[in-house]
């Protein structure tokens, strides 16, 4: 998988317009092995595992770096490949990356869903994301994932009512994989047969959570927003058009000290979502929905609710 498939898949994704890819492994040892395989290629690699972030130095040694450093450098395009374990499937969001490779397939399919959720999320910049799963032929894992893909389209639809079935799979795969050689093929066939039967039973059930969820995802057309984050940034340069009592002072190119009536001290805010994503615990994204953003009643009586006023402000700048 490493010397042939992975080395073919990564250039293929780049040729298709996916300049960056995340490669998930199940074990840190596997991640270390893969970065050794890719070290002598033209691909720039970052790593993230339970040890934290790691980047390759000029001395050709791997040096530790923070979780935020990994996220920031990958977003800025300082690496073509992020090699990681499931530690990166917990809270790290990469909606700027459009391709993901599952080098190892865990026995729990819901963990694969968690991995995919790192890029399949609001704000994804690619209209189509690419997910590549690498399997060894003639294994119990391959049989199970093939059955799931063919029977329920796993990873391409909601699986709400099938979650109890999926959650029981790790134990079944473990039992078949660790069975004695003479029993392994029989247990493997029994597991796949039982899985397909359970899926049929669940699909015939009267309550279809998937259908309800998919229907709820159909959103009505929304009118175009009268202003965006760029216009909000211009407003922060002009606190005189904000509701009375709000104080704003620039702290840098992308952040401000913001203080509203009743606040004991200013807080840091930004209108740049990428800058906010780098420092989510230390500043607020100043936009509708933020507790710091003036409410609709305040905006309705003020000039910042008038698109024409914003247009004049833009023209003036």
């Amino acid at each position: 998988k490493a010397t042939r498939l992975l080395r073919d898949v990564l250039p293929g994704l780049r040729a298709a317009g996916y300049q960056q890819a995340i490669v998930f492994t199940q074990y840190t040892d596997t991640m270390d092995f893969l970065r050794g395989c890719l070290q002598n290629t033209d691909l720039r690699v970052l790593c993230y595992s339970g040890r934290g972030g790691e980047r390759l130095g000029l001395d050709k040694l791997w040096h530790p770096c923070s979780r935020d450093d990994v996220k920031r450098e990958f977003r800025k395009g300082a690496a073509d490949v992020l090699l990681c374990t499931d530690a990166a499937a917990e809270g790290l969001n990469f909606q700027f990356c459009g391709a993901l490779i599952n080098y190892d397939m865990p026995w729990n399919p819901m963990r694969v869903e968690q991995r995919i959720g790192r890029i399949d999320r609001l704000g994804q910049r690619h209209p189509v994301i690419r997910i590549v799963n690498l399997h060894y032929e003639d294994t119990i894992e391959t049989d199970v994932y093939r059955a799931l893909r063919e029977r329920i389209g796993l990873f391409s639809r909601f699986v709400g009512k099938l979650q109890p079935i999926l959650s029981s799979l790790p134990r079944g795969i473990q039992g078949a994989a660790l069975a004695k050689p003479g029993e392994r093929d029989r247990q493997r066939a029994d597991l796949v047969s039982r899985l397909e039967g359970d899926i049929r039973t669940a699909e015939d059930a009267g309550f279809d959570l998937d259908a309800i969820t998919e229907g709820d995802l159909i959103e009505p057309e929304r009118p175009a927003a009268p202003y965006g984050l760029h216009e909000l940034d211009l407003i922060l340069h002009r606190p005189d058009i904000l509701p009375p009592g709000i104080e704003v002072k620039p702290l840098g190119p992308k952040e401000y000290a913001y203080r509203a009536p009743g606040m004991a001290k200013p807080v840091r805010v930004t209108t740049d979502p990428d800058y906010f994503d780098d420092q989510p615990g230390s500043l607020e994204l100043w936009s509708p929905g933020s507790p710091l953003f003036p409410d609709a009643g305040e905006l309705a009586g003020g000039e910042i609710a008038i698109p024409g006023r914003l247009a004049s402000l833009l023209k003036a700048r």
Side-chain angles (χ1 to χ4, degrees), residues 107 140 168-181 183-188 191 194:
W107 288 350
I140 179 61
S168 68
L169 278 177
R171 181 170 296 182
I173 294 176
Q174 181 182 21
L178 301 181
K180 294 179 180 179
E183 290 288 312
R184 193 171 299 155
D185 288 343
R186 183 186 64 78
Q187 289 201 27
R188 174 175 159 186
L191 176 61
R194 187 167 64 251

Side-chain angles (χ1 to χ4, degrees), residues 6 9-24 74 79-84 93-103 115-121 124-133:
L6 187 62
V9 168
L10 287 169
L13 290 171
R14 290 173 64 83
Y18 299 89
Q19 299 304 311
Q20 293 179 292
I22 300 174
V23 179
F24 271 99
F74 197 47
D80 307 305
V81 178
L82 174 62
L83 292 175
C84 54
N93 302 326
F94 301 102
Q95 53 266 43
F96 52 88
C97 177
L100 185 148
I101 300 171
N102 287 304
Y103 183 83
R115 295 175 179 182
I116 295 172
R118 298 308 92 208
I119 66 172
D120 185 16
R121 56 192 309 107
Q124 171 56 244
R125 299 173 184 176
H126 293 78
V128 176
I129 62 172
R130 293 282 298 276
I131 308 297
V132 180
N133 298 325

Side-chain angles (χ1 to χ4, degrees), residues 291-308:
L292 297 176
F293 197 78
D295 64 33
E298 291 175 298
L299 294 182
E303 292 183 90
I304 67 170
I306 305 174

Side-chain angles (χ1 to χ4, degrees), residues 114-181:
Q114 290 175 336
R115 295 175 179 182
I116 295 172
R118 298 308 92 208
I119 66 172
D120 185 16
R121 56 192 309 107
L122 290 174
Q124 171 56 244
R125 299 173 184 176
H126 293 78
V128 176
I129 62 172
R130 293 282 298 276
I131 308 297
V132 180
N133 298 325
L134 301 182
H135 299 272
Y136 283 115
E137 192 60 64
D138 199 32
T139 62
I140 179 61
E141 296 98 322
T142 300
D143 287 351
V144 168
Y145 276 102
R146 182 173 290 143
L148 291 172
R149 186 183 68 242
E150 293 174 354
R151 287 290 300 150
I152 65 173
L154 189 66
F155 313 133
S156 63
R157 57 166 286 189
F158 291 95
V159 291
K161 64 182 178 182
L162 300 176
Q163 286 187 13
I165 298 172
L166 300 180
S167 65
S168 68
L169 278 177
R171 181 170 296 182
I173 294 176
Q174 181 182 21
L178 301 181
K180 294 179 180 179

